[in-house]
Amino acid sequence: MNVIEARRLSKRYRRGVWALREATLAIPEGRVVALVGPNGAGKSTLLTMVVGLAVPTSGELAVLGGLVPGSVEALGRVAFVAQDPSLYPNLSVADTLRLAGNLSSRWDEADARARLAALDIPLRRKVGQLSGGQQAQVALAVALARRPGLLILDEPLASLDPLARHEFMATVMAAVAEEGLSVVFSSHVLAELERACDYLVVLARGAVQVAGDVDELLSEHSVLTGPAEQADAVTAGLCVVREQRTDRQSTVLVRDYDPVRVPAGWRAERTNLEELVLAYLRTPSVSALPGPASGNRTMAAPLRAVDA
Amino acid sequence: MTIGSIDETAARPRLPRLRGLPWVTWRQHRTALLVTTGLFTAIAVFLTVHGLAMHAGYRALGLDSCGDLHGPACQAPLDVFVHRYGAWPDRFATALMLLPAFLGTFVGAPIVARERDTGTYRFAWTLGRTRLQWLAAKLALPGAALTGLALACGLLAFWWYAPWVPPRGRLGSDMYHVMGTVFAARTLFCFTLAVLLGTLIRRTVPALATATVACLAAIVAPATWLEPLIQKPLDANIDTDSGTATGMTVNQWVVDPAGHRLTSAQTDDLDVQAGPDLVSKHQTFHSWLTQHHYTSWVSYQPDTRFWHFQAVETSAYLAAALLLAATALWWIRRPIH
């Protein structure tokens, strides 16, 4: 089952700006997905459509194996924590839980209370008087108490201090370990998701640029380093994501490279997730997407990007 | 079947606790509803206390037993009653006539506008209920509460006004707007109009301002221009038709001894011509006209049409309220971004 399935999904705002353009994406069940991309890439647009707050201009979108986003069935199984938690500031924490419980088809009040008690968040305090980190934790406790199949977190860490970020991520990862739910995070800061996620989606300029299992992506990409004058000969015929040259040395990120064929004087190394994402983001013309039926990966535009 | 339904009722707890959307609606709008209830309670207490005193005064002056109210036996006590209580119907009407606009706006406009304004819709509308279900509950419950309170107030005002029916009638009084069912229908109408405007405008303060203006216009404009058109008015001679004393006057004019209807300019000339007589003989213009064989005519709505007018206006406001509520429900399903 795919928890999110988008086919040629487009969203155009009234001003005529395309936030998403023909985005196609399939996210399998049980993953912790990092949705990354620069500001304005369409991350929030995609997520607001997944939770049913916005409707696509064209294309298809389904959640949790074919449910229509925003339908009662989908709302009952998709939980959402918005960028700024968007809770009612004048409600107490207890009343916030009661309100959410009264609006949810499934609700585990004891679970929410236990989470908040563990974090020393007083139930009688008004939400508006809590710190940003505590508000995020209340929103997360509400989301988890709804026993969702899919948890959507839109830039959850953006306004939190480092300690609060750590605690928030710890809560999410504990819930993933216990309940096996699928999680989609969005962020423009990859470093904070790197340890948590096992699936990566990179959005750039309204399109999906990279999508795949993190381990597979890392094993498929290699960094070749060698003398600059040989670079053209070495990279001919390879899938080059990004090449950086100085006068003497060339560093090339390549994909689907056979490490047995490393030429003399060159070195092949594995890359890390942050470098990989940055390389793609700096080279918007290149993408790495799952193939249609065969499962093979295809290079949409195997052009070399030279950045002297 | 009867037995089955009795069993079902018995199985339920006597006072079920609010759950689901009704509880959410109550929790989020209880302040507005309590303020509204408090206001209506204050009005009800005042109407009751004042009404009991006024009704007692009417009986104490013997106005209920003096026969023809316009006859000589009633003249003196009626003057006293009018002197004592005569200003109250207009005072109440002025104070309460526009209340539906303010209350409807106060309760209705923030319902969607505030969620959009503060961003809390992202929380409220991504829990387990659709926007349609959410708004339906928020229209139905506060709408029913407001309408019920306004209806009680309108019926109490109807009772309060009773002593003024023989001398003045209900239809011609400004209290018409506060009595009976029109008051409640206007309250519901203003509430749904405010909810719709809040849904469209999406900002609390502009929604409140726009809804207030729109609701005031939707009360005052029909009351001024459409009400007299509900039924064709009757023409009658003031002196020979007793019904003219209590109806709603639409127009009046003077007919000269030859049977020609005078224009208002001609009537004004006549008034100037009568001037010296009016001063020297302490005459009213009306008696001067009668003495000089002119007749005074009115075009009027007889007071017996009160409930017909109330029914027509109530249905019109209720139909409009339903239309507005349906529009708001349709609109909220539209995509947000």
Side-chain angles (χ1 to χ4, degrees), chain B residues 1-12:
Chain B
M1 266 180 75
T2 319
I3 292 168
S5 61
I6 286 170
D7 282 350
E8 258 180 52
T9 325
R12 282 186 211 136

Side-chain angles (χ1 to χ4, degrees), chain B residues 132-189:
Chain B
L132 192 67
Q133 294 171 323
W134 182 91
L135 184 59
K138 296 218 168 189
L139 277 167
L141 301 173
L146 270 181
T147 311
L149 288 167
L151 187 62
C153 180
L155 296 179
L156 192 62
F158 185 86
W159 163 82
W160 177 87
Y161 188 78
W164 294 106
V165 177
R168 295 182 178 175
R170 293 186 185 276
L171 193 55
S173 166
D174 277 351
M175 278 298 283
Y176 168 85
H177 302 289
V178 183
M179 287 188 286
T181 53
V182 160
F183 189 66
R186 283 183 184 161
T187 305
L188 182 64
F189 168 84

Side-chain angles (χ1 to χ4, degrees), chain A residues 213-233:
Chain A
D213 182 278
V214 168
D215 290 337
E216 281 177 27
L217 285 171
L218 290 178
S219 68
E220 282 165 9
H221 288 80
S222 310
V223 179
L224 298 182
T225 314
E229 65 270 19
Q230 297 171 13
D232 284 338

